[in-house]
Structures are given as C-alpha cells and as structure tokens.
Amino acid sequence: MRDSGPPPGSGGSGGSHVLVLNATYEPIHVCGVRRATVLLLKDKAEVIETGQGELRAERTSLPRPAVIRLSTYAPVPRHGRRRLTRRAVFARDDWTCQYCGSRSDLTVDHVIPRSKGGSSEWENIVACCSTCNRRKADRLPHQARMFPRHSPRPPHPSVFIQVACPRIPDSWQAWLPQAA
C-alpha cells in the first residue's frame, strides 16, 4: 500500500504513529502506520480515528489510521515492570527537577545513592538538574536536606505512549488519560 497522507513531521493529524487501543478502549501501545494497516487488513483491529489522506493499493484504499482498536482483548502485564529509561523518568516527572523545579540540564538522581544501598528502580530514581545532582552528591536526602517534591513511583502506562511519540496528535487526546 502506498501512503498518500501528509509527509512525516508536517504537523498533519496523520503522522507516522498510530495509537493502539485494547478491546476495552484502553491505550496500550503506539505502532507505525504499516503495522496498523496489517492489523486492519487481517481484521484484528478497527479504525476509531482517521488521519489526513488515505493508504492506496492497486485495487483498494483505506483511510489513514490515527487510532485503532483491537478486536479481541490483549492481556497487558500489570505486574511486570516496564523498562526504566532516562526519557521515561523525565516524562514521568514532567521534565522537571524534583528538587528545585528547574526544567533545564536534566539528569537522573538516585534518591538513596547506590553506594548507600539504593537500587536502580522506579521508586528510587528522579529527574534532577545537574546543579542539584552535584549539590546532593553521594548523600542521603536527610543529610543533604534535599527531598524530592513527589515520591518516585512506577509511571502510569500512558507515560510510555508519550515517550514513544513526544508530539501527541490532537486525535489521540480523547483516548489518553489526563492524569499521566
């Protein structure tokens, strides 16, 4: 199939990413237009929202998908841990230093330093600016008198959608929870 939609990055509502909803309308994944088209052609999904343009083949054309819904429920692991990445930590913490509120020169900080027995898990890592990271250094929060504004915790699954597609299309807003 050939894509007759807007070029990638043109700001159109099409884009190269498609939001995938479970059969229960819960957002679970972001995939490319090609993968979404395969799911649609195999009747494993249906189009919920369309983007600009259409996908054309020799004998058929389809509306360009922006949001699709799986036909059958796909179990989503709730207890399994999502991979911890810097981008996901920054997105979870709203791209803000958890000590001073700065939004520039971000890095990550172990609230309880690894040298003091801290682990590299969601509950112990926060977004932190370089200045605060140097100031806190290798000390415990009470020693440095620096405490995170929010207790670190595993992120809401929608954070991973923001990480996969930093510019969320308008057509996705109705399907994503506001409290990410």
Side-chain angles (χ1 to χ4, degrees):
M1 290 210 137
R2 215 170 7 142
D3 185 358
S4 68
S10 68
S13 63
S16 61
H17 295 100
V18 177
L19 178 64
V20 180
L21 305 176
N22 214 336
T24 58
Y25 292 91
E26 170 189 21
I28 58 171
H29 186 58
V30 174
C31 71
V33 172
R34 178 177 283 190
R35 175 68 180 141
T37 303
V38 169
L39 291 170
L40 293 169
L41 291 173
K42 288 184 171 184
D43 287 328
K44 293 186 177 195
E46 65 177 323
V47 175
I48 300 295
E49 300 271 344
T50 59
Q52 292 178 342
E54 59 184 14
L55 305 172
R56 292 185 236 195
E58 184 178 352
R59 294 191 174 105
T60 187
S61 66
L62 295 170
R64 180 185 185 85
V67 179
I68 63 171
R69 177 181 159 262
L70 298 177
S71 302
T72 58
Y73 181 79
V76 179
R78 300 285 180 214
H79 304 293
R81 304 290 254 175
R82 293 279 194 134
R83 188 168 152 237
L84 192 144
T85 64
R86 290 169 53 90
R87 267 182 82 85
V89 171
F90 295 157
R92 176 200 66 187
D93 293 344
D94 196 28
W95 301 87
T96 305
C97 173
Q98 291 302 292
Y99 297 113
C100 72
S102 171
R103 295 179 146 267
S104 63
D105 201 19
L106 290 179
T107 183
V108 294
D109 176 58
H110 288 79
V111 178
I112 299 180
R114 290 190 299 181
S115 65
K116 308 274 195 269
S119 59
S120 292
E121 294 182 1
W122 288 108
E123 294 83 355
N124 191 46
I125 293 182
V126 294
C128 177
C129 70
S130 295
T131 305
C132 287
N133 204 341
R134 283 190 300 273
R135 195 174 119 218
K136 181 174 173 284
D138 195 26
R139 298 181 290 175
L140 295 170
H142 71 275
Q143 293 170 329
R145 295 184 186 175
M146 295 175 69
F147 301 93
R149 294 174 172 211
H150 303 286
S151 295
R153 58 182 168 39
H156 190 275
S158 65
V159 165
F160 295 96
I161 291 172
Q162 293 171 348
V163 169
C165 187
R167 292 188 62 207
I168 302 293
D170 292 338
S171 59
W172 294 11
Q173 295 300 335
W175 306 102
L176 297 176
Q178 299 306 313

